[in-house]
């Protein structure tokens, strides 16, 4: 669609020290480039008070980029910043190589990682929204036709056609994702009726969420030491020490300056975190900038309206910290607020299960009750709002039930004559 230079695998990285940008983001750019499958052969750094409107970098830095591309035989330049469509186009014309900004790089990684039907749709939606802002001077080969009547270039008409087709495709994808969202909502409703709590793993990318998910559930999903190793959400049942069950959800990892297109496109995936009973915030305890990543994750949770959900902080990778043992940190009320563990070695995982059970089932009450044959309506209500652990029918046709319910539903048992504490 576009007359753009081909992409090479050898990349020049560009990072400018601008206000509100930190040095750690350069390290993250290198990891992003590695995850995308490129080889970073050189890094160009600099500082500016504000980006140049035309090239983002200054003229001197542009010349430095040209020299670096020639010296290192690079085929692509990766910017650790969001470029405007005109800046991206001007840079490509000046450098004669592909130029990709931070948002485009993350979208490319997501496109490689998506495996499920929903994940691929979400990535395509984000890419199309990103592309729709860059439909400028596409199909320039058609604009070369100039002259009299019948020879005027159709470039502008083609541009409008491109925008219309992209708009149609975006609408189709959004309709399909709405159907997927309805299916997810039905699944959540069933779990809610069955009184099975949902616990979602959230955290900065590469904090070890998928490794911890595998350790807790034995799911065997892909986990690697790279950014966005897993993209598609996975749900599995997990047994806790008292034989109670939860549904554990592994969600996409967060990152600094997560593109708005991705937050919007992955709304249905992130909804698992939004409607969870508890969030397990996985943190790389060995990372030097762990406090900053905690802030970044909380900002994304706030953006998806999940900041109100209770969190249990999981400080992972303690196997990389010398002489550090797993433990549970508690608040003044004795409630778990933090668990230190290693998902790789399994040290502290049982402590995590104990802490989750305490938080998720703290308000749950177990009762053994006996219903008369004519109390079928109460029995139906119990099946709707409580978890039936065990049920037996006696010789008279009455019901003996062992139920676990939220304390707020105890009123259902007011008309039941015989109740035993468990």
């Amino acid at each position: 669609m576009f007359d753009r230079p081909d992409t090479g695998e050898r990349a020049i990285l560009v990072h400018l020290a601008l206000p509100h940008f930190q040095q750690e983001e350069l390290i993250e750019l290198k990891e992003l480039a590695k995850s995308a499958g490129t080889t970073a052969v050189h890094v160009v750094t600099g500082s500016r008070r504000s980006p140049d409107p035309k090239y983002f970098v200054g003229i001197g830095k542009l010349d430095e980029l040209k020299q670096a591309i020639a010296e290192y035989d690079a085929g692509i330049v990766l910017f650790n910043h969001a470029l405007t469509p005109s800046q991206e186009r001007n840079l490509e014309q000046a450098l004669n190589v592909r130029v990709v900004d931070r948002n485009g790089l993350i979208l490319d990684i997501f496109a490689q990682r998506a495996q499920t039907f929903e994940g691929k749709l979400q990535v395509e939606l984000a890419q199309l929204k990103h592309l729709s802002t860059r439909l400028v001077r596409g199909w320039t080969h058609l604009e070369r036709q100039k002259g009299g009547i019948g020879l005027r270039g159709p470039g502008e008409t083609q541009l409008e056609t491109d925008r219309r087709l992209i708009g149609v495709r975006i609408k189709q994808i959004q309709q399909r994702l709405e159907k997927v969202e309805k299916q997810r909502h039905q699944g959540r409703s069933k779990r809610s009726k069955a009184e099975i709590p949902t616990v979602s793993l959230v955290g900065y990318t590469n904090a070890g969420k998928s490794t911890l998910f595998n350790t807790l559930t034995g799911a065997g999903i892909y986990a690697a030491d790279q950014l966005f190793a897993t993209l598609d959400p996975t749900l599995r049942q997990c047994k806790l020490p008292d034989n109670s069950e939860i549904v554990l959800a592994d969600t996409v990892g967060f990152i600094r300056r997560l593109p708005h297109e991705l937050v919007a496109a992955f709304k249905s995936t992130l909804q698992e975190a939004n409607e969870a009973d508890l969030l397990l915030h996985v943190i790389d305890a060995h990372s030097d900038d762990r406090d900053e990543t905690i802030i970044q994750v909380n900002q994304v949770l706030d953006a998806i309206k999940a900041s109100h959900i209770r969190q249990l902080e999981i400080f992972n990778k303690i196997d990389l910290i010398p002489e550090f043992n797993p433990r549970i940190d508690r608040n003044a009320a004795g409630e778990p607020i933090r668990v230190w563990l290693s998902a790789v070695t399994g040290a502290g995982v049982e402590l995590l299960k104990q802490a989750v059970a305490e938080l998720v089932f703290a308000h749950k009450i177990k009762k053994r009750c006996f219903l008369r044959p004519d109390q079928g309506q109460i029995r139906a209500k119990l099946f709707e709002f409580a978890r039936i652990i065990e049920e037996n029918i006696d010789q008279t046709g009455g019901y003996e039930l062992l139920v676990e319910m939220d304390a707020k539903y105890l009123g259902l048992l007011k008309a039941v004559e015989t109740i035993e504490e468990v």
Side-chain angles (χ1 to χ4, degrees):
M1 183 181 294
F2 298 94
D3 298 335
R4 304 181 69 177
D6 293 334
T7 300
E9 293 183 355
R10 296 169 62 83
I12 301 290
L13 309 185
V14 181
H15 175 83
L16 296 187
L18 296 168
H20 310 301
F21 273 76
Q22 301 177 353
Q23 186 62 27
E24 290 83 0
E25 298 193 39
L26 176 56
I27 300 173
E28 193 170 86
L29 175 63
K30 294 178 181 178
E31 291 296 321
L32 285 170
K34 178 183 175 183
S35 297
T38 63
T39 302
V41 293
H42 185 64
V43 179
V44 174
T45 59
S47 61
R48 288 183 65 93
R49 290 185 179 178
S50 61
D52 179 79
K54 187 174 183 180
Y55 294 113
F56 194 89
V57 296
I59 297 299
K61 197 62 64 177
L62 188 67
D63 290 337
E64 183 181 341
L65 273 172
K66 291 178 181 178
Q67 294 173 7
I69 290 168
E71 180 179 351
Y72 294 97
D73 191 27
I76 187 169
V77 175
L78 303 177
F79 272 74
N80 198 23
H81 313 274
L83 301 176
T84 65
S86 60
Q87 286 171 339
E88 189 175 292
R89 186 173 64 256
N90 293 337
L91 283 165
E92 288 187 347
Q93 290 175 347
L95 301 175
N96 198 31
V97 296
R98 282 295 304 273
V99 175
V100 178
D101 67 357
R102 179 185 175 85
N103 291 1
L105 179 59
I106 294 174
L107 285 170
D108 182 79
I109 296 171
F110 272 48
Q112 295 179 41
R113 301 285 188 268
Q115 298 294 327
T116 65
F117 173 72
E118 179 188 6
K120 291 176 181 178
L121 282 178
Q122 289 170 328
V123 170
E124 185 181 355
L125 176 61
Q127 287 179 320
L128 288 174
K129 287 185 175 180
H130 185 72
L131 178 63
S132 64
T133 65
R134 281 155 168 74
L135 285 178
V136 182
R137 291 183 65 83
W139 300 81
T140 53
H141 62 286
L142 295 176
E143 293 181 334
R144 298 184 187 125
Q145 301 178 27
K146 297 179 181 179
I149 295 174
L151 296 177
R152 292 187 174 89
E156 185 66 27
T157 302
Q158 184 63 56
L159 180 59
E160 293 173 352
T161 302
D162 293 343
R163 285 176 175 157
R164 178 175 56 80
L165 292 175
I166 286 179
V168 171
R169 180 59 180 163
I170 286 175
K171 187 175 180 180
Q172 290 174 342
I173 294 174
Q174 287 174 334
Q175 289 174 343
R176 292 184 182 180
L177 285 174
E178 285 176 4
K179 292 182 180 179
V180 175
E181 169 58 21
K182 288 180 180 178
Q183 292 172 350
R184 284 187 173 278
H185 181 71
Q186 289 173 353
R188 284 191 290 266
S189 298
K190 289 179 180 178
R191 293 197 299 270
S192 178
K193 287 183 178 180
E195 289 290 307
I196 302 176
T198 300
V199 177
S200 287
L201 291 168
V202 298
Y204 209 73
T205 184
N206 207 27
K209 295 188 308 301
S210 296
T211 303
L212 180 59
F213 184 86
N214 288 337
T215 302
L216 288 170
T217 65
I221 62 173
Y222 179 70
D225 184 18
Q226 58 183 202
L227 304 188
F228 303 119
T230 54
L231 173 62
D232 299 300
T234 307
L235 284 79
R236 294 287 188 277
Q237 283 190 329
C238 177
K239 291 275 189 181
L240 297 181
D242 60 352
N243 287 326
S244 56
E245 291 183 350
I246 60 170
V247 171
L248 194 64
D250 186 19
T251 59
V252 62
F254 300 156
I255 197 170
R256 288 183 182 88
R257 307 180 194 277
L258 189 67
H260 293 296
E261 296 97 333
L262 287 179
V263 174
F266 282 78
K267 180 181 176 183
S268 60
T269 299
L270 296 173
Q271 198 73 10
E272 293 296 343
N274 188 279
E275 298 191 9
D277 297 283
L278 176 68
L279 298 179
L280 301 186
H281 183 170
V282 184
I283 302 158
D284 184 350
H286 185 253
S287 174
D288 293 330
D289 60 337
R290 71 186 188 195
D291 293 337
E292 174 64 22
T293 62
I294 292 172
I295 294 172
Q296 295 293 330
V297 170
N298 286 329
Q299 287 177 351
V300 176
L301 290 174
D302 186 58
I304 64 174
K305 296 180 174 56
S307 56
H308 65 284
I309 300 175
R310 189 170 193 172
Q311 281 190 32
L312 176 63
E313 292 185 340
I314 312 300
F315 278 70
N316 188 26
K317 304 186 182 181
I318 64 169
D319 53 298
L320 302 177
I321 305 175
E323 300 180 1
F324 198 97
N325 297 318
R327 71 168 190 261
I328 298 178
D329 294 341
R330 299 177 181 272
N331 60 17
E335 299 172 325
I337 57 172
R338 191 177 299 110
V339 179
W340 299 77
L341 55 76
S342 170
V344 172
T345 66
V349 171
E350 291 304 316
L351 292 178
L352 170 60
K353 291 182 178 180
Q354 174 189 332
V356 170
E358 288 183 37
L359 293 174
V360 172
F361 296 103
H363 58 295
K364 301 289 184 181
I365 297 173
K366 285 185 180 180
K367 298 279 188 181
R368 185 176 297 277
C369 54
F370 300 87
L371 278 63
R372 300 189 307 272
D374 61 345
Q375 291 182 312
Q377 189 173 2
I378 297 177
R379 175 178 174 272
K381 288 289 185 181
L382 289 174
F383 269 89
E384 182 176 359
F385 295 105
R387 185 168 74 96
I388 308 301
I389 301 173
E390 180 184 322
E391 181 185 27
N392 295 302
I393 302 177
D394 61 22
Q395 295 179 350
T396 65
Y399 308 98
E400 177 187 339
L401 298 98
L402 177 60
V403 299
E404 182 181 69
M405 63 171 61
D406 195 300
K408 63 183 178 182
Y409 294 128
L410 276 177
L412 295 173
L413 299 177
K414 283 183 177 180
V416 180
E417 298 176 357
T418 309
I419 302 174
E420 295 178 358
E421 297 289 339
V422 177

